[in-house]
Amino acid sequence: MKILVTGGAGFIGSHTLVELYAAGHKPVVLDNLSNSSPKSLERVAELAGVESVPFYECDIRDRAAVDALLEKEGHFDACIHFAGLKAVGESVAKPWEYYDNNIGGTLTLLDCMRWHGCKNIIFSSSATVYGDPAVVPITEECPKGHCTNPYGQTKSMLEEIMSDMQKADPEWNVVLLRYFNPIGAHRSGRIGENPNGIPNNLMPYITQVAIGRRKELGVFGNDYDTPDGTGVRDYIHVVDLARGHVCALKAIERKCGLAVYNLGTGRGYSVLEVVNAFEQATGVKVPYKIQPRRPGDIATCYSDPSKAAAELGWRAEYGIEDMCRDSWRWQSMNPEGY
């Protein structure tokens, strides 16, 4: 299949490209490089054994540029849509930017896609749409909750928009993938998570402390209702997550209409458990300091991934030790990132 991959130079996008190539698909990347590097695409090409990855540097809010790409490339079988701002804390401080980029950009993308005859999309959503979940583990049947931050609101709103579009026009096939917490890196150490500036996510902060780029890890809150007081999340290896997107193409092929899947491991780890697992896997100590809770954070969030196993044949294969080891391999081989 020929696949348009928005945000394909980013952390999850780049790993998904490797898996798409391995499965025999033909990806084309659209990315504005606001939080990614073109070097990731060079390394994807190296890992995939191709001369280069077809790449267009543009913004999904730029209708003329998106139209021009679709006109030039001709027919796409599907779009995997990663492009979006994704930091919870930043979204609380910059709500307008998140609504403009994530919602405005996706509306432009969807409109351009339908005018060019592509009505198949796999959307990078998030477990944050469940809000503070009433029960865990979370199944796809759990009601969507009140999102506690603008980032989560954009994901929830976009799910509603795409669901409404599919209901109004059954030619659309929409797969909503609700990610839990991706960490890890490709086992080669050639591609990994490379945030601009201060990391907003746990694992890149741990690895930057471990490599000496940062003094200590800030642990936001130790008074949650969890075994050690720190937040519990379902961490998933990014390669497992990437393979989940390839499996999701099966739903597109069978004309699924609207389908929703959790992509997680079904096991929760606290922040301090991840720190301990990292130290055990790598032998590197990670100093940390307890800090106040972050606005918008919740205590516990982990998945029931059985629907994806039953309908897509997908299961997470890697454990927390693999995630920590591969994250450290990437960081130690690339101390300054790309």
Side-chain angles (χ1 to χ4, degrees):
M1 296 171 76
K2 185 175 179 181
I3 315 284
L4 176 63
V5 184
T6 71
F11 174 44
I12 303 169
S14 59
H15 288 80
T16 300
L17 291 175
V18 173
E19 299 304 321
L20 286 170
Y21 277 116
H25 298 294
K26 298 176 182 176
V28 175
V29 173
L30 179 164
D31 200 305
N32 69 358
L33 302 180
S34 65
N35 194 31
S36 57
S37 168
K39 289 182 181 176
S40 71
L41 298 179
E42 294 172 13
R43 296 189 183 184
V44 165
E46 167 196 312
L47 292 169
V50 297
E51 187 174 331
S52 63
V53 178
F55 170 54
Y56 293 80
E57 183 178 349
C58 67
D59 194 296
I60 55 172
R61 293 170 293 181
D62 185 342
R63 181 180 297 270
V66 176
D67 257 331
L69 184 166
L70 292 169
E71 187 69 38
K72 181 177 178 183
E73 285 291 332
H75 178 70
F76 281 98
D77 295 296
C79 172
I80 300 179
H81 179 31
F82 296 109
L85 301 175
K86 63 173 188 175
V88 169
E90 183 183 63
S91 78
V92 174
K94 298 180 176 180
W96 187 89
E97 285 81 357
Y98 272 67
Y99 290 119
D100 174 55
N101 185 86
N102 293 7
I103 294 180
T106 302
L107 286 171
T108 298
L109 173 69
L110 290 167
D111 197 29
C112 291
M113 283 175 60
R114 65 178 179 169
W115 282 110
H116 287 270
C118 179
K119 294 184 178 181
N120 297 317
I121 189 165
I122 296 171
F123 177 55
S124 168
S125 191
S126 168
T128 194
V129 302
Y130 294 113
D132 195 348
V135 293
V136 289
I138 300 166
T139 72
E140 292 84 353
E141 303 307 312
C142 288
K144 286 167 65 173
H146 169 68
C147 292
T148 53
N149 54 76
Y151 161 72
Q153 289 276 35
T154 67
K155 294 296 188 186
S156 184
M157 289 178 188
L158 286 170
E159 285 197 1
E160 295 301 321
I161 289 166
M162 291 185 212
S163 299
D164 288 344
M165 285 182 63
Q166 196 283 324
K167 192 183 298 180
D169 179 0
E171 288 185 5
W172 277 95
N173 295 292
V174 174
V175 181
L176 307 175
L177 297 182
R178 293 174 179 167
Y179 307 169
F180 282 70
N181 292 68
I183 59 175
H186 192 273
R187 64 183 179 182
S188 66
R190 297 293 287 155
I191 56 174
E193 190 165 9
N194 183 49
N196 291 336
I198 298 172
N200 286 291
N201 295 326
L202 176 62
M203 186 54 75
Y205 213 113
I206 287 175
T207 60
Q208 289 191 15
V209 170
I211 203 78
R213 283 174 64 179
R214 308 207 177 270
K215 180 184 173 186
E216 62 191 7
L217 171 71
V219 176
F220 298 105
N222 66 342
D223 57 352
Y224 287 103
D225 184 16
T226 63
D228 63 19
T230 63
V232 170
R233 297 291 183 271
D234 186 338
Y235 294 95
I236 176 173
H237 198 296
V238 66
V239 172
D240 278 330
L241 185 62
R243 289 172 181 164
H245 292 77
V246 178
C247 290
L249 289 169
K250 296 175 187 174
I252 296 287
E253 287 175 332
R254 67 168 184 260
K255 301 195 180 301
C256 61
L258 175 69
V260 183
Y261 298 100
N262 288 336
L263 294 185
T265 66
R267 165 74 197 271
Y269 290 91
S270 74
V271 174
L272 293 184
E273 283 180 313
V274 174
V275 171
N276 183 60
F278 182 87
E279 292 180 344
Q280 292 290 320
T282 66
V284 182
K285 293 294 288 181
V286 179
Y288 65 86
K289 182 179 181 181
I290 303 298
Q291 296 182 354
R293 293 185 182 192
R294 284 187 305 192
D297 276 351
I298 61 175
T300 303
C301 182
Y302 62 94
S303 70
D304 176 346
S306 56
K307 184 181 176 186
E311 296 187 11
L312 302 178
W314 175 87
R315 287 178 180 81
E317 297 176 13
Y318 296 104
I320 192 70
E321 297 81 9
D322 302 303
M323 302 180 212
C324 292
R325 196 177 299 113
D326 291 343
S327 294
W328 178 236
R329 184 182 298 112
W330 151 255
Q331 188 71 80
S332 56
M333 288 175 64
N334 304 269
E336 300 299 323
Y338 289 113

